[in-house]
Amino acid sequence: MANQDDKFKKVISHAKEYGYVFQSSEIYDGLSAVYDYAQNGVELKKNIRDYWWRAMVQMNDNIVGLDAAIFMHPTTWKASGHVDAFNDPLIDNKDSKKRYRADVLVEDYCLKIEAKIEKEVKKAQKRFGETFDKAEFISTNPRVLGYQEKIDSILSRLGKSLESEDLADVKSLIEELQIVDPLTGSKNWTDVKQFNLMFGTKLGASAESAMDLHLRPETAQGIFVNFLNVQKTGRMKLPFGIAQTGKAFRNEIVARQFIFRMREFEQMEMQFFIKPGTQGEWFKHWKDARMKWHLSLGLGNENYRFHDHEKLAHYADAATDIEFRFPFGFKELEGIHSRTDFDLKAHEEHSGKKLQYFDHAENKSYTPYVLETSIGLDRMFLAVFSNSFVEEELENNTTRTVLRLPAVLAPFKAAVLPLVKKDGLPEIAKQIVDDLKWDFNVAYDEKDAVGRRYRRQDANGTPFCITVDHDTLEDNAVTIRHRDTMEQKRVKIEDLREIIKKEVDVRSWLMKM
Ligand code: ATP
């Protein structure tokens, strides 16, 4: 745990030091759980968004985009269930006066048991060496089975009590498990209460005529209310999808994990409209497709897992999370939900407008079912960034900090470095930058010794360094150095574009899906 905390702290300070993420309004001591993306962060974030958009919209001829407004008519949130049911169960500690999400306290308790399982696995792995079969061990070792049983029974009880809104039982569970305030160790808890997460605001100039609005807590509803507009004007046939990326706002109770849980964040959502009855097969399809998208980035297959929901939201008939191994353990990165016809029906009821699809083959109208894929852009950013941050021990006993960002996502694809600041080398280097920048984001750096510049670019995640030296004047060639292997090769200046393109091209990355 200490190690994990340590790594997470380093990740956060690296994000600041290298111009990726800043605390919002830092000069005023910041705003809790609100962050700004800096010069490099904004590029990485844009590249992640583009990578998603390409895979979802450009590569699927039956998925189109949308950019709906953040403000929506207030009835939207009545219809969607957010006014009545968008609550988190909160609990206060009477001694520390700190507020927690009751479900998260219980889940974190289970994570600790899970860490014990991992410890057993590691121990056994050491003992049995090469012949160790992890799957067999996990399914037969009595101690591991005991731990797993405990986790399952706790989560199943939590799921049931949340579903039936039995908040007293959630409190009993916390007491029975003797869960303590993680900051102080106190067990002096209040009752569990529900807390609505939507932010309110007002539209209109005068106090009397102003209308109470909410900042949208998810982007999905902007898609649902536009379903018929898009279907008609795009002459879309089922199955088809509408994708959108944009800001969402939630007044989160606990928001202490950097950009993992923010009060203002960005979502990338896609609602896929289908014929009722086909949701099982589409649920499987999108589970599979979304996991492939994640794996294509090469962050390590062992860092992902599905977590099927015990407790289903009021709108869903099946749901799973794609969880990622963040520095603080496995946590939700993306949700895939089979939402039935809940949303379209609810908007029909509340608006009095028909939101149905006319199926020509069957010669009848019906309300489509919906499959949703919903991922937090900031969470994805944290997944990529924290996974890429490595402190590497080198052979000469020094360490190198390197951000092994997938090249397709890196803010800068290459840095061009003149070996010295004279003899015409900077001029050639700048010419190379001027040529490459038509295709890629390219940096120019002439300050400090070249070794230091390499390290700076490594820490910044730049996949290639291109060094112009005195031989370049003669042979029109440069040295290209690869961030991850540190290998250096002499290549012709005219070949640079193709060499870089091969490594950073979205096409070749997405083809791995
Ligand atoms: P959690 O259980 O972590 O609160 P959720 O189940 O409420 O998440 P959804 O409503 O399904 O999340 O939202 C879809 C995605 O949006 C999540 O998988 C996550 O990546 C992202 N997300 C949700 N809340 C936040 C937040 N406060 N900050 C950053 N990203 C978020």
Side-chain angles (χ1 to χ4, degrees):
M1 261 336 221
N3 252 347
Q4 287 184 350
D5 286 353
D6 223 31
K7 157 132 196 219
F8 192 36
K9 277 190 194 136
K10 282 183 181 169
V11 165
I12 296 171
S13 61
H14 195 81
K16 176 167 184 204
E17 194 184 339
Y18 282 84
Y20 278 84
V21 182
F22 300 152
Q23 174 84 62
S24 155
S25 336
E26 198 191 68
I27 59 166
Y28 295 107
D29 296 332
L31 196 59
S32 154
V34 188
Y35 291 91
D36 298 339
Y37 287 87
Q39 66 276 18
N40 287 316
V42 72
E43 297 288 340
L44 174 56
K45 192 174 169 196
K46 173 172 77 62
N47 292 343
I48 296 174
R49 194 191 292 110
D50 285 351
Y51 195 67
W52 182 86
W53 192 267
R54 286 263 207 134
M56 300 300 276
V57 182
Q58 191 170 324
M59 297 306 294
N60 288 297
D61 48 17
N62 59 352
I63 299 182
V64 294
L66 179 78
D67 184 12
I70 287 171
F71 290 144
M72 297 186 69
H73 192 282
T75 312
T76 309
W77 308 112
K78 272 298 284 170
S80 67
H82 284 81
V83 170
D84 297 320
F86 193 52
N87 301 315
D88 273 347
L90 71 84
I91 189 165
D92 290 299
N93 188 281
K94 290 185 201 157
D95 296 329
S96 70
K97 310 269 183 276
K98 290 277 173 212
R99 180 158 280 187
Y100 296 92
R101 252 175 72 175
D103 53 336
V104 172
L105 283 178
V106 176
E107 281 163 10
D108 285 349
Y109 179 88
C110 291
L111 277 182
K112 283 192 190 137
I113 309 179
E114 214 172 274
K116 287 186 188 165
I117 297 182
E118 283 197 21
K119 221 168 153 187
E120 292 290 334
V121 169
K122 279 214 177 100
K123 253 184 10 206
Q125 215 157 15
K126 246 193 191 156
R127 193 155 15 106
F128 295 112
E130 294 242 310
T131 57
F132 182 64
D133 180 342
K134 186 173 166 186
E136 157 121 22
F137 180 76
I138 287 179
S139 60
T140 54
N141 179 278
R143 200 171 295 165
V144 169
L145 287 176
Y147 286 144
Q148 194 55 52
E149 223 166 83
K150 188 160 180 202
I151 295 177
D152 292 345
S153 98
I154 293 171
L155 290 182
S156 144
R157 177 163 158 203
L158 176 70
K160 280 192 195 118
S161 355
L162 287 176
E163 198 160 12
S164 57
E165 298 249 343
D166 186 354
L167 299 181
D169 189 57
V170 178
K171 182 176 183 192
S172 308
L173 185 59
I174 288 176
E175 284 173 340
E176 282 165 38
L177 297 173
Q178 306 207 349
I179 294 178
V180 298
D181 180 333
L183 289 178
T184 62
S186 155
K187 285 186 222 161
N188 196 2
W189 296 111
T190 62
D191 287 343
V192 179
K193 286 187 290 251
Q194 293 288 21
F195 174 78
N196 193 287
L197 300 183
M198 282 196 294
F199 283 104
T201 185
K202 286 195 184 295
L203 184 89
S206 72
E208 309 82 64
S209 66
M211 188 189 228
D212 283 319
L213 291 189
H214 292 294
L215 297 183
R216 68 178 178 198
E218 62 175 29
T219 58
Q221 300 304 324
I223 295 180
F224 294 128
V225 300
N226 279 300
F227 157 75
L228 209 53
N229 281 341
V230 173
Q231 191 270 321
K232 289 243 154 84
T233 57
R235 297 191 294 154
M236 310 298 291
K237 295 217 160 31
L238 288 194
F240 76 92
I242 305 177
Q244 103 163 309
T245 72
K247 286 277 172 104
F249 303 82
R250 295 182 188 180
N251 199 359
E252 297 282 1
I253 299 166
V254 207
R256 292 196 195 100
Q257 282 164 322
F258 192 41
I259 55 172
F260 179 82
R261 192 177 298 288
M262 302 156 89
R263 297 204 163 101
E264 173 179 343
F265 59 102
E266 194 164 335
Q267 288 187 313
M268 307 192 284
E269 296 198 302
M270 193 277 298
Q271 311 295 329
F272 200 67
F273 299 92
I274 54 176
K275 199 171 161 180
T278 61
Q279 66 269 33
E281 116 206 17
W282 283 112
F283 183 61
K284 214 169 141 295
H285 169 87
W286 283 110
K287 251 178 100 163
D288 192 44
R290 292 305 303 145
M291 186 57 106
K292 282 190 177 143
W293 180 85
H294 285 284
L295 298 184
S296 73
L297 287 169
L299 304 183
N301 296 10
E302 70 286 4
N303 293 321
Y304 297 87
R305 69 184 187 193
F306 285 113
H307 169 235
D308 294 328
H309 284 208
E310 289 269 337
K311 178 198 173 214
L312 291 173
H314 56 280
Y315 52 75
D317 75 353
T320 194
D321 295 337
I322 295 179
E323 294 189 336
F324 183 76
R325 197 197 299 265
F326 288 95
F328 36 83
F330 271 105
K331 293 268 182 189
E332 171 177 344
L333 171 59
E334 171 158 7
I336 298 159
H337 310 123
S338 172
R339 296 182 74 120
T340 69
D341 55 5
F342 174 85
D343 304 272
L344 291 179
K345 280 249 167 83
H347 286 304
E348 268 193 333
E349 253 166 51
H350 283 79
S351 68
K353 311 267 161 45
K354 271 224 163 330
L355 293 176
Q356 293 202 339
Y357 173 78
F358 183 72
D359 188 327
H360 284 276
E362 300 207 356
N363 201 24
K364 64 173 190 200
S365 292
Y366 52 79
T367 311
Y369 269 34
V370 171
L371 251 152
E372 163 182 82
T373 71
S374 172
I375 172 168
L377 175 49
D378 314 85
R379 256 186 218 185
M380 185 61 197
F381 184 111
L382 181 60
V384 171
F385 192 86
S386 60
N387 182 276
S388 302
F389 176 83
V390 180
E391 286 177 315
E392 222 175 51
E393 298 283 340
L394 298 182
E395 278 171 11
N396 59 1
N397 275 341
T398 57
T399 53
R400 168 174 93 120
T401 302
V402 48
L403 207 53
R404 292 174 180 271
L405 296 173
V408 64
L409 302 181
F412 284 88
K413 305 306 183 195
V416 187
L417 324 170
L419 188 62
V420 289
K421 251 193 285 183
K422 56 183 183 188
D423 305 333
L425 304 190
E427 287 72 15
I428 299 181
K430 281 180 191 155
Q431 262 174 25
I432 296 177
V433 171
D434 281 346
D435 181 45
L436 290 178
K437 74 183 176 196
W438 289 91
D439 298 289
F440 319 107
N441 243 353
V442 184
Y444 172 81
D445 191 1
E446 59 174 25
K447 202 170 165 285
D448 301 320
V450 77
R452 296 224 4 221
R453 279 181 272 166
Y454 283 157
R455 291 301 168 82
R456 200 150 56 222
Q457 294 302 333
D458 288 346
N460 215 18
T462 312
F464 294 108
C465 282
I466 296 160
T467 307
V468 176
D469 57 24
H470 290 95
D471 290 343
T472 308
L473 300 168
E474 308 295 325
D475 63 3
N476 261 336
V478 287
T479 303
I480 187 161
R481 173 183 176 275
H482 205 282
R483 177 195 67 200
D484 297 343
T485 58
M486 294 192 279
E487 244 171 43
Q488 304 195 10
K489 257 199 201 144
R490 195 84 190 156
V491 301
K492 288 271 173 227
I493 292 178
E494 67 201 45
D495 294 338
L496 281 172
R497 188 171 161 272
E498 274 312 305
I499 295 172
I500 299 171
K501 182 162 181 271
K502 228 173 106 201
E503 298 266 334
V504 308
D505 197 23
V506 179
R507 179 192 172 99
S508 55
W509 285 81
L510 278 181
M511 292 260 253
K512 294 183 209 153
M513 270 181 71

